[in-house]
Amino acid sequence: MCEDREVFLRAQGRIFTAFREDEESQWKGPFYFIQGADPQFGLMKSWEIGECDYGGDEWEKEIRLTEEAVQAINKLSPKPKFFVLCGDLVHSMPGIEFKEDQERDLKNVLQKTNQDIPLVFVSGNHDIGNAPTPETIKSYCNNWGDDYFAFWVGGVVFLVLNSQFFFDSSACAELKENHDRWLAAQLAVAEKRKCKHAIIFQHIPLFLQNPDEDNNYFNVEKNLRQELLEMFHKAGVKAVFSGHYHRNAGGLYKNLDMVVTSAIGCQLGDDQHGVRVVVVTEEKIIHRYYSLEELNTKGIEQDLMDLMNPK
Ligand SMILES: [Fe+2]
């Protein structure tokens, strides 16, 4: 670990102090943030040799790609309000020998993010395990901050969820109950306080293309999915941003936008390594995926100007 060089702020006590709620509870005009997913240090090597359960003993490519993302984000003007990473920070599951080194190297890269751009971390299955335990969750929280929390930016409420509780909570039933109780309370607050928008971040997509699609490795089980979709929709949640699929995808449930963002690291489809730019205006949440190359060479200034100040 590298305690002495860790400079980024972590969420604690279910809040994220990079943003003060008393200053951020009112709408102040359009803004944008960057959403990335699955830097997953170690997967590219594992995938290459066809051993995905293996921790991946090399992650040079992912270091370079994440550095590229950080460099591109640091160059953006105006600055994004924050950079959220929607899980699978590293590939090694808890207990795999490479995990600590992979996490150390990821932290070293992320520390180069401009200090005015807070980093928001979301837990993925590779971070806490497919069936997380109190120990794996505790270890994640020590490293990256709370596994679920809320924060406000300019009148918009953001909820970071731990979607492993939606996948397999058999080894952490009590923690899941706490999470679900907290989530219900947060959604009630969002509804009551008439926030401009409510936006959710989680690792596993509720669905990939269609709310009624069959269960598969990459989505949330159908009955629970319907329950969550309806609960989010009723509370006025406008968008859920996720990763996990290593491809871009998504669809609508009523007026809720389910957004699935491809990986900074290993691609499992035809997308380029990239991140998503998300513009929040008074009426809408508009987003577009940019490859790291596009972001680094072309920039997005003109697109941002057009989106944030529509004529
Ligand atoms: Fe992943």
Side-chain angles (χ1 to χ4, degrees):
M1 293 297 122
C2 49
E3 282 84 357
D4 53 338
R5 295 196 53 217
E6 282 172 16
V7 289
F8 44 77
L9 197 68
R10 298 172 180 78
Q12 267 184 333
R14 308 295 167 214
I15 55 168
F16 185 48
T17 53
F19 301 104
R20 286 186 44 183
E21 202 176 318
D22 53 342
E23 289 173 1
E24 295 289 346
S25 61
Q26 300 298 320
W27 178 252
K28 294 177 200 155
F31 64 89
Y32 81 102
F33 63 88
I34 304 290
Q35 185 229 354
D38 302 86
Q40 206 160 337
F41 282 23
L43 174 59
M44 289 173 94
K45 171 72 182 285
S46 299
W47 187 252
E48 213 176 280
I49 61 171
E51 293 237 15
C52 274
D53 291 339
Y54 175 67
D57 60 359
E58 279 173 30
W59 49 93
E60 274 308 312
K61 284 183 188 158
E62 285 96 341
I63 290 179
R64 192 179 43 74
L65 288 162
T66 312
E67 273 173 352
E68 221 180 295
V70 167
Q71 273 162 20
I73 291 167
N74 284 346
K75 279 196 280 186
L76 294 173
S77 170
K79 284 191 174 60
K81 284 282 182 187
F82 58 88
F83 174 25
V84 56
L85 274 169
C86 279
D88 281 1
L89 304 173
V90 304
H91 183 57
S92 292
M93 293 270 187
I96 301 281
E97 57 178 312
F98 307 114
K99 194 172 185 67
E100 224 172 276
D101 287 347
Q102 290 172 348
E103 291 193 323
R104 180 205 58 216
D105 287 352
L106 176 60
K107 285 176 186 175
N108 283 337
V109 174
L110 293 176
Q111 276 164 193
K112 294 172 194 147
T113 311
N114 188 309
Q115 299 227 2
D116 297 335
I117 307 171
L119 289 155
V120 177
F121 299 111
V122 180
S123 61
N125 55 312
H126 283 265
D127 302 310
I128 57 176
N130 282 320
T133 67
E135 290 71 34
T136 64
I137 292 174
K138 191 171 171 218
S139 165
Y140 170 87
C141 295
N142 288 339
N143 266 304
W144 303 102
D146 282 355
D147 57 330
Y148 60 93
F149 56 97
F151 62 98
W152 287 73
V153 180
V156 177
V157 65
F158 292 91
L159 304 181
V160 170
L161 308 188
N162 178 344
S163 55
Q164 284 319 110
F165 291 135
F166 305 147
F167 182 78
D168 185 350
S169 61
S170 56
C172 55
E174 206 183 318
L175 295 181
K176 183 208 188 295
E177 272 172 37
N178 295 343
H179 174 270
D180 291 356
R181 216 174 302 123
W182 171 90
L183 174 58
Q186 293 300 318
L187 291 174
V189 170
E191 211 176 332
K192 195 165 137 227
R193 284 187 42 188
K194 307 223 175 317
C195 53
K196 189 58 77 181
H197 305 290
I199 294 176
I200 287 178
F201 297 125
Q202 61 183 55
H203 181 60
I204 304 179
L206 293 165
F207 60 89
L208 299 175
Q209 272 101 20
N210 185 322
D212 300 319
E213 71 198 16
D214 289 339
N215 296 336
N216 62 52
Y217 174 75
F218 292 105
N219 62 21
V220 169
E221 185 277 327
K222 217 167 170 179
N223 289 329
L224 177 59
R225 183 196 312 161
Q226 290 302 331
E227 201 184 298
L228 290 169
L229 281 169
E230 201 42 39
M231 187 167 86
F232 293 170
H233 167 71
K234 272 196 186 139
V237 174
K238 298 268 179 65
V240 177
F241 289 89
S242 65
H244 193 45
Y245 193 39
H246 295 244
R247 281 158 278 205
N248 285 310
L252 282 177
Y253 173 76
K254 300 182 181 174
N255 58 351
L256 183 152
D257 193 4
M258 179 66 240
V259 186
V260 186
T261 295
S262 197
I264 292 175
C266 190
Q267 301 301 308
L268 300 183
D270 298 326
D271 296 294
Q272 302 288 315
H273 306 279
V275 293
R276 194 172 289 278
V277 174
V278 186
V279 173
V280 182
T281 72
E282 202 156 5
E283 293 81 30
K284 289 182 189 165
I285 295 149
I286 309 147
H287 50 88
R288 189 184 147 190
Y289 187 81
Y290 289 84
S291 73
L292 298 179
E293 201 192 336
E294 213 178 344
L295 207 59
N296 254 312
T297 52
K298 187 171 135 273
I300 53 165
E301 276 74 13
Q302 194 54 52
D303 293 4
L304 280 176
M305 292 283 283
D306 294 347
L307 291 169
M308 289 167 77
N309 311 293
K311 297 207 173 75

